[in-house]
Amino acid sequence: MKFQKNIPLIDQHDKYGFWGGKFGGSFIPETLKKPVEDLTISFSKLRKNSEFLKKKNFYFSNYIGSPTPFIKLSNLSNHLGGAQIWAKVVSEANGGAHKIYNATVHALICKSLGKKYIVGDTGAGYAGKMLSMAAKKFGLKCKIFMGAKDIKRQKPNCDAMRRNGAEIVPVYTGSQTLVDAVSECMRYWVSNCDRTHMCVGSTVGPNIFVKICGWSTSQISKELKQQIKEEFKKIPKRIKLINCVGGGSSAYGFWSEFIKYPKDQIELIGVEAGGPKRSKLHAAPLSRGAKLGILHGAASYVCQNNEGQINETESISAGLDYPGVSPLHCYLKDLKRARYTLATDEEALNAYKLIKKYEKLNPSLEPCHAFAEAIKIAPKLNDKTILIVNSCGDAKKDRDILRKRIGNLK
Amino acid sequence: MRPNTIKKAFEFAESENRPALLSYTVAGDNSKSNSLKILKSLSKYVDICELGFPHNTPIADGGQIQTSSYRSLKNGTKIKDVFNIVKMFKKGKLSKPIILMGYYNIIFQYGESKFIKMCKASGVDGIIVVDLPWPENINFSKLCKKNYIEFVQLISPTTSTLRAKKIIKSSHSMIYYISMLSTTGGRLKTTPKEIKNNYLKIKKLSKKKNCVIGFGITKDNIASFKTVDGLVVGSQICREISNSIKNKQKITKNVDKLAKILKRRII
């Protein structure tokens, strides 16, 4: 495995679509081979097409709103002492989370493929909400597959999807969460791939979906690199980029421009969902050392049993509640370029409380996992160290869970 | 060398001037012993038995087969049980060729070589891996061939002629044509005539290979496909099992009745 500095990570795969020779690929039913190949060809042309890029850039600036703010969390930093804590407030993007980048790009691709229908999966509901927004914006009919458990716990996002005219298809199989939603969405695509485009909501799934999503979210680190240079005049000597990891789309987007830097200058820290403190279940395949397996069309580290059956996961955060993870992150783990750890439900909730107390920021439960890690390590570091957390989602969707778990915060 | 039992089964059906009848059931549904009994009662009528090894994240199966798979897993079916069922079935008098069908992760976790070894030891005749298409399947296909196990590849309405040619070239003696864009057990979206036309296009490319049609085949439409090499019925059998459980009826008796009708309609 040789990492090449000057090629984006999404393009460093072999002809079968594997990163590092074993992560990714396209394990798909024969029926999907053609639409996946068509999409692969179209995307490779579109990403070089100046008209398409112009359109993408236009919507990124004028519809999504870029750049999203880069701010210092001075109160929190002072309270903890030690490292400086900064946040890239990606939740300021239109819709309230990073999922808007991938959704917008998929809607644009769908348009250029001449398809009128778009379907997608969602866990926390942000991928679904954003896809429904983008579909509305570009005049596409939209169907969102969502686990029945998630529909209950992320109601505000479901309301938004319905307002945008999307149909939510509840999935009752298995654990009724994201993993089942992705399966059902893929099954729907198998039956309707002639007229319908599928958007996979994260950097998971068959190779091409990993690439499209990573290409879209990389906007975050492009902005951040510029903002760091403006703020510090140059790239500081000690940075730690901390991001939550479920499927891994926001983390890849947050890191992509910085992967080529030396590890001791820019450390990449991924924080997975450790689940409830007392539960054996989790959604942390990387930090808990899960085995390589095939899930939803790609090889990655997967929470599974010895027989290859996919394990149930548990996390307070629906967006991280997924047994697999992006092949990009598996590769970064094997390269030892990124470090992966986990935060429990309780640690994420405590992080939320602390942030609410000291800052005007309302991060959703997903980035609260990343904040938990920042809060844990900041006091052990000096103020020359810059911790940057991707605050990739807004907590409006978590209203009901937060009220139940920590009551009304001022 | 082992005789090609699958090829022989097709030859036998052809000698009776009818398509081969293939059934699909899930190993361990609704219990280990019952799934063996079901296989035995099916084998009175069908020429080849496809046996699913269950997976809890099946991305190409419709509701009926999903239900069967979850039921089997809930009963604790392990891959060693699947091989055991095959072994017991093969010992019986009415044994028929067995094609195992399932998803790649199960094989991958077990280990490809070990899986093939167990197939050989238990008497499996063929394998279908739903999510291991060409060219990703080249190595596994070779491994099967080396061990005299038929690796059955699928061709779908979305497969281009060029790709179909390549798949056929790398396939063994049998090909599986997916009738329509659907998960298993969907309602036929197109006319049997159109499906047969597509089938004939595939047949033209592979005169010597046996081509079966599957997905959406039921007792109501099976008579329209009398002229093809073989037909697979899966979801309807799984549904029969589910209904029998629901209505507290004897599963084997109902499955037996269904298989009898299926057979009668293709003669």
Side-chain angles (χ1 to χ4, degrees), chain A residues 257-269:
Chain A
E257 288 290 313
F258 302 100
I259 295 170
K260 62 184 174 208
Y261 283 81
K263 193 162 67 171
D264 49 7
Q265 184 181 7
I266 302 186
E267 192 187 6
L268 311 174
I269 305 173

Side-chain angles (χ1 to χ4, degrees), chain A residues 16 27-31 33-34 173 183 187 190-191 194 291-296 304 307-310, chain B residues 54-59 61 66 73 78-79 104-105 109 131 133 136 154 156 158-159 163 181-183 189:
Chain A
Y16 292 122
F27 296 90
I28 48 175
E30 176 62 25
T31 304
K33 264 279 172 182
K34 174 87 169 43
T173 50
S183 299
R187 286 192 279 260
V190 170
S191 304
D194 48 346
K291 274 198 305 178
L292 188 67
I294 289 107
L295 173 65
H296 294 143
Q304 57 183 325
E307 293 264 312
Q309 306 295 348
I310 307 306
Chain B
H55 185 32
N56 67 356
T57 319
I59 56 171
D61 282 307
Q66 278 183 55
L73 289 170
K78 299 255 160 49
I79 194 72
Y104 186 59
N105 196 39
Q109 296 310 324
D131 56 349
E136 281 84 355
L154 302 125
S156 125
T158 56
T159 311
R163 184 173 160 79
L181 301 191
S182 172
T183 50
K189 288 175 174 175

Side-chain angles (χ1 to χ4, degrees), chain A residues 50-254:
Chain A
S50 58
E51 273 300 300
F52 182 80
L53 292 174
K54 227 162 86 186
K55 238 191 268 176
K56 183 206 97 173
N57 291 337
F58 174 81
Y59 287 110
F60 273 27
S61 305
N62 299 297
Y63 171 63
I64 296 177
S66 72
T68 55
F70 174 54
I71 58 167
K72 186 173 183 186
L73 304 182
S74 303
N75 297 338
L76 185 68
S77 304
N78 289 340
H79 166 73
L80 293 167
Q84 301 178 35
I85 303 176
W86 292 67
K88 169 85 175 144
V89 194
V90 174
S91 59
E92 285 291 307
N94 192 7
H98 68 285
K99 296 287 185 196
I100 191 68
Y101 298 106
N102 188 43
T104 303
V105 168
H106 269 287
L108 285 169
I109 292 174
C110 182
K111 284 286 268 192
S112 66
L113 292 174
K115 290 183 173 177
K116 291 194 179 74
Y117 299 88
I118 195 162
V119 293
D121 57 78
T122 196
Y126 270 132
K129 178 183 165 189
M130 307 307 176
L131 196 63
S132 71
M133 277 169 57
K136 191 178 174 192
K137 174 95 187 158
F138 297 106
L140 303 165
K141 265 196 95 70
C142 178
K143 236 187 235 289
I144 301 294
F145 291 84
M146 189 169 187
K149 180 177 169 188
D150 291 338
I151 291 179
K152 259 188 226 144
R153 63 175 163 171
Q154 308 278 232
K155 188 170 175 297
N157 274 350
C158 296
D159 297 342
M161 283 181 245
R162 291 196 188 97
R163 273 200 304 278
N164 291 327
E167 179 194 347
I168 302 175
V169 183
V171 181
Y172 295 103
T173 50
S175 54
Q176 313 196 2
T177 56
L178 180 56
V179 63
D180 312 293
V182 179
S183 299
E184 194 59 33
C185 186
M186 285 195 161
R187 286 192 279 260
Y188 182 85
W189 200 41
V190 170
S191 304
N192 298 281
C193 54
D194 48 346
R195 296 196 308 165
T196 305
H197 176 65
M198 179 173 76
C199 165
V200 176
S202 187
T203 39
V204 298
N207 173 284
I208 185 59
F209 292 100
V210 176
K211 291 183 70 162
I212 294 173
C213 185
W215 187 76
S216 311
T217 55
S218 65
Q219 173 71 15
I220 302 169
S221 61
K222 283 180 192 144
E223 291 174 10
L224 179 62
K225 196 172 169 186
Q226 194 62 33
Q227 288 166 321
I228 290 176
K229 280 181 182 163
E230 279 163 22
E231 190 65 45
F232 300 99
K233 310 293 178 260
K234 57 172 188 169
I235 307 279
K237 285 220 175 72
R238 227 166 261 290
I239 296 183
K240 294 181 193 296
L241 298 178
I242 310 176
N243 207 121
C244 60
V245 176
S249 62
S250 73
Y252 177 74
F254 191 50

